[in-house]
Amino acid sequence: GEDVEQSLFLSVREGDSSVINCTYTDSSSTYLYWYKQEPGAGLQLLTYIFSNMDMKQDQRLTVLLNKKDKHLSLRIADTQTGDSAIYFCAESVEGGSYIPTFGRGTSLIVHP
Amino acid sequence: GAVVSQHPSWVICKSGTSVKIECRSLDFQATTMFWYRQFPKQSLMLMATSNEGSKATYEQGVEKDKFLINHASLTLSTLTVTSAHPEDSSFYICSARSGWNEQFFGPGTRLTVL
């Protein structure tokens, strides 16, 4: 299987919360990231979490890490149409020079 | 955050020609630059890592003679797709970082080979 896995699509109504899930295989992952990619654009780092943390909150974004299950999630509160994008989960390890390994990305569609 | 630009943003070329894509860090010195390839609905696949002034390190399965990477300065790296073929059509994204700091990504270049 792939090193980082995430579901391909998520559709939510504007104003609802979105939860994007990700699983990874490398137990030595040091950093876990969430990137956002808008159509035809490069990647923008949204947030990251150290592997020794369980949760990180940044305004509307909440990242939860379950290290035992190697499960990472990104919750977007009060989802807006501008949040429609592809969200990539990624992980990096110290031995890998901190170069992220990306999942396939989850397409988030926000409808009115 | 820091800004990374790519030029061109899109290019269409004939099969057999070579195409050069530039990646620039506009407001910081990039000791390391990365080149990725992204297929539709697929993840970013790292092609190569380049450190300024030294040869690029290519990932397994990436032909170094086909994808020439030059990182001549701390603000510029180029990727040249030599003798391009339709299967090389893809979205190419570069990223740059200074030391072990955060990677900043360029907006990508859409290559279409006819």
Side-chain angles (χ1 to χ4, degrees):
Chain A
E2 295 183 349
D3 294 334
V4 180
E5 291 194 6
Q6 48 184 133
S7 54
L8 294 182
F9 298 100
L10 176 66
S11 177
V12 300
R13 186 171 294 180
E14 190 174 15
D16 288 350
S17 293
S18 309
V19 180
I20 304 172
N21 294 299
C22 167
T23 57
Y24 59 97
T25 59
D26 195 335
S27 58
S28 60
S29 295
T30 308
Y31 292 87
L32 294 125
Y33 312 83
W34 284 105
Y35 287 85
K36 178 182 180 181
Q37 184 183 32
E38 299 191 29
L43 272 67
Q44 172 197 359
L45 178 64
L46 280 180
T47 186
Y48 65 93
I49 189 169
F50 294 105
S51 59
N52 62 358
M53 296 170 64
D54 298 323
M55 185 182 90
K56 182 177 180 181
Q57 186 155 4
D58 183 3
Q59 298 181 347
R60 292 191 296 122
L61 306 178
T62 303
V63 179
L64 294 178
L65 174 61
N66 181 327
K67 198 173 179 182
K68 174 176 168 289
D69 295 338
K70 300 190 189 70
H71 181 268
L72 183 75
S73 69
L74 172 69
R75 178 177 181 270
I76 306 173
D78 187 24
T79 313
Q80 303 296 307
T81 54
D83 295 324
S84 294
I86 301 176
Y87 290 81
F88 289 91
C89 171
E91 56 90 18
S92 69
V93 299
E94 183 175 355
S97 302
Y98 298 112
I99 300 173
T101 298
F102 291 88
R104 287 192 177 193
T106 299
S107 289
L108 174 64
I109 300 167
V110 183
H111 53 90
Chain B
V3 179
V4 175
S5 70
Q6 280 184 243
H7 177 80
S9 54
W10 58 269
V11 56
I12 302 172
C13 69
K14 291 183 179 179
S15 187
T17 60
S18 294
V19 175
K20 181 186 282 189
I21 303 170
E22 292 185 349
C23 175
R24 292 182 186 273
S25 57
L26 298 186
D27 51 3
F28 69 102
Q29 293 188 324
T31 50
T32 308
M33 285 186 167
F34 307 87
W35 287 96
Y36 294 84
R37 185 172 177 176
Q38 184 182 26
F39 292 102
K41 295 184 173 50
Q42 297 289 325
S43 178
L44 276 73
M45 300 303 298
L46 180 65
M47 299 173 67
T49 302
S50 74
N51 293 297
E52 184 263 339
S54 60
K55 288 185 180 179
T57 302
Y58 289 80
E59 295 298 301
Q60 194 172 6
V62 178
E63 299 175 59
K64 61 174 123 178
D65 294 331
K66 178 150 186 75
F67 298 100
L68 300 178
I69 291 172
N70 184 285
H71 190 168
S73 77
L74 284 170
T75 58
L76 173 65
S77 176
T78 60
L79 167 68
T80 301
V81 184
T82 62
S83 186
H85 288 94
E87 58 266 28
D88 299 324
S89 298
S90 193
F91 195 53
Y92 292 87
I93 300 176
C94 76
S95 69
R97 76 179 182 195
S98 174
W100 300 107
N101 295 324
E102 176 186 344
Q103 274 185 283
F104 294 96
F105 286 80
T109 297
R110 172 76 58 195
L111 170 64
T112 302
V113 185
L114 301 176

